[in-house]
Amino acid sequence: MEYLEFELPIKELEDQLQKCKVIGEESEVDVTETCTQIEKKLATAKKDIYKNLTPWQRVQLSRHPNRPYTLDYIHAICGDSFLELHGDRNVKDDKAMIGGLGKIGDQSFMFIGQQKGYNTKTRQYRNFGMANPEGYRKALRLMKSAEKFGIPVVTFIDTPGAYPGLEAEERGQGEAIARNILEMARLKVPIIAIVIGEGASGGALGIGVGDKVLMLENSWYSVISPENCSSILWRSWEHKEKAAKALKLTASDAKKIKVVDGIIKEPIGGAHRDREKTFLTVSETIVKTYESLKNLSPTDLISERMDKYLNMGVYKG
């Protein structure tokens, strides 16, 4: 397990507890009381640290190298029923955007999401979770297929942004994202969007329009990353913590200003600390959310979705 800087007090106590248990196993000394005291200190430290996380610390947790990614959720939720579908039928198959059909129980869903890599090789293969225009066009193709067969759509958002390279712009990055936003706004099947890690800029919005948009507790959702915001405003990355606070990018902030509809609780310490519990919670949330949407007619679905987005940012004096 890797630890972030603010988690080092927890690491020290966990190391102490491990050593204490080893001593107890390798000798005849009774260390039960000592272990119990360390466990109490550990529980208190976790509670104090994770209850008072700053926005920047939540950003760090959202990028934790052990944090589960889109395919982890899909394989855990759907098991062997997941069938990945490839290509935008135009340019190529974008490895940063994955999608396909899967089942939760007897209900089929079209799953779509950005996928990051676990090491240098897979990060390059997945382009660090930054999709090209063909990724967004693949996502739209899959959504349209889901609409045709009356299958609800679930999207997992986890991207530092759409790929900003010259070739992406040449192939119409802005148009591809704008087209997705337009088409998702009027899709005739339920859409559930979940921010599982980083939700940055248009890259997130390209698959982020939904009847219900949810965020994991330690994810973030914003027009720009704290580092890039800091570099624009202060010409330096040093003010990223200040920028993170000002951007109101945490799940609680987004819920407060009604940019998202709900927050999915994570195990203490983050999703990576108890993956199975996180997968179960997300699966149950998808099913529960779908139950609240499945009886709406396509007309009502689109009307409520449109109203939701049209009311965002409206100020009544």
Side-chain angles (χ1 to χ4, degrees), residues 2-48:
E2 290 188 43
Y3 292 83
L4 300 168
E5 195 179 337
F6 66 87
E7 293 178 305
L8 291 179
I10 293 168
K11 182 183 186 301
E12 285 174 22
L13 287 166
E14 285 183 344
D15 288 346
Q16 283 177 27
L17 183 61
Q18 188 61 33
K19 283 175 189 172
C20 186
K21 285 178 179 176
V22 169
I23 290 166
E25 287 166 8
E26 293 179 352
S27 67
E28 293 179 8
V29 179
D30 185 9
V31 293
T32 311
E33 194 178 331
T34 310
C35 284
T36 305
Q37 285 176 352
I38 296 169
E39 280 171 352
K40 281 180 183 175
K41 280 184 186 176
L42 183 59
T44 306
K46 281 183 178 179
K47 197 175 177 183
D48 291 344

Side-chain angles (χ1 to χ4, degrees), residues 181-196:
I181 292 170
L182 172 67
E183 295 294 347
M184 288 182 86
R186 58 191 187 191
L187 207 70
K188 293 174 183 173
V189 291
I191 308 170
I192 302 163
I194 305 172
V195 184
I196 58 170

Side-chain angles (χ1 to χ4, degrees), residues 14-312:
E14 285 183 344
D15 288 346
Q16 283 177 27
L17 183 61
Q18 188 61 33
K19 283 175 189 172
C20 186
K21 285 178 179 176
V22 169
I23 290 166
E25 287 166 8
E26 293 179 352
S27 67
E28 293 179 8
V29 179
D30 185 9
V31 293
T32 311
E33 194 178 331
T34 310
C35 284
T36 305
Q37 285 176 352
I38 296 169
E39 280 171 352
K40 281 180 183 175
K41 280 184 186 176
L42 183 59
T44 306
K46 281 183 178 179
K47 197 175 177 183
D48 291 344
I49 288 169
Y50 294 122
K51 259 196 171 181
N52 301 297
L53 291 174
T54 66
W56 174 244
Q57 286 170 341
R58 291 202 188 273
V59 171
Q60 287 177 292
L61 272 178
S62 77
R63 296 169 177 166
H64 197 287
N66 301 123
R67 195 172 173 86
Y69 297 141
T70 296
L71 279 173
D72 297 318
Y73 284 95
I74 291 172
H75 289 312
I77 291 168
C78 304
D80 295 333
S81 72
F82 180 64
L83 173 68
E84 189 173 351
L85 301 168
H86 300 272
D88 71 334
R89 302 294 185 266
N90 189 15
V91 178
K92 63 176 182 179
D93 183 42
D94 189 342
K95 306 299 181 188
M97 184 76 76
I98 60 101
L101 290 162
K103 283 190 169 187
I104 303 177
D106 294 327
Q107 177 61 49
S108 293
F109 291 89
M110 181 65 82
F111 291 94
I112 297 163
Q114 289 104 352
Q115 176 66 26
K116 293 178 176 176
Y118 300 93
N119 52 37
T120 304
K121 193 176 179 182
T122 56
R123 281 174 194 139
Q124 288 175 330
Y125 179 71
R126 297 289 181 185
N127 200 30
F128 301 88
M130 296 187 292
N132 277 281
E134 47 273 20
Y136 291 100
R137 289 175 182 134
K138 170 166 80 171
L140 181 57
R141 180 177 77 80
L142 298 184
M143 287 180 217
K144 284 293 184 182
S145 294
E147 182 182 55
K148 185 179 178 181
F149 296 105
I151 296 167
V153 174
V154 175
T155 67
F156 290 116
I157 299 162
D158 188 13
T159 180
Y163 183 59
L166 178 63
E167 59 271 34
E169 296 299 338
E170 286 173 343
R171 293 197 298 274
Q173 185 73 285
E175 187 277 336
I177 292 170
R179 171 67 57 187
N180 277 24
I181 292 170
L182 172 67
E183 295 294 347
M184 288 182 86
R186 58 191 187 191
L187 207 70
K188 293 174 183 173
V189 291
I191 308 170
I192 302 163
I194 305 172
V195 184
I196 58 170
E198 298 184 273
S201 194
L205 280 179
I207 57 166
V209 178
D211 299 293
K212 296 291 179 187
V213 181
L214 309 167
M215 285 178 75
L216 281 176
E217 195 178 357
N218 294 311
S219 62
W220 62 274
Y221 198 25
S222 173
V223 71
I224 194 170
S225 71
E227 293 95 329
N228 289 335
C229 176
S230 175
S231 68
I232 289 169
L233 295 181
W234 292 283
R235 301 283 187 270
S236 161
W237 278 23
E238 287 177 18
H239 300 277
K240 53 186 182 288
E241 293 180 43
K242 196 174 174 182
K245 190 178 179 183
L247 284 167
K248 303 290 183 191
L249 44 64
T250 64
S252 56
D253 286 327
K255 175 79 164 57
K256 205 176 286 179
I257 57 177
K258 297 182 179 176
V259 168
V260 300
D261 302 291
I263 300 168
I264 301 171
K265 288 278 287 179
E266 291 185 33
I268 192 161
H272 58 285
R273 284 275 178 171
D274 190 343
R275 285 174 163 236
E276 299 310 314
K277 188 178 178 182
T278 306
F279 296 147
L280 182 64
T281 306
V282 169
S283 178
E284 287 173 350
T285 303
I286 291 169
V287 171
K288 190 179 174 185
T289 307
Y290 175 62
E291 287 295 318
S292 69
L293 297 168
K294 70 177 185 180
N295 294 323
L296 291 172
S297 68
T299 308
D300 290 340
L301 210 56
I302 294 165
S303 175
E304 286 186 19
R305 194 185 302 148
M306 289 278 199
D307 287 345
K308 182 179 120 173
Y309 283 94
L310 288 169
N311 286 329
M312 279 186 193

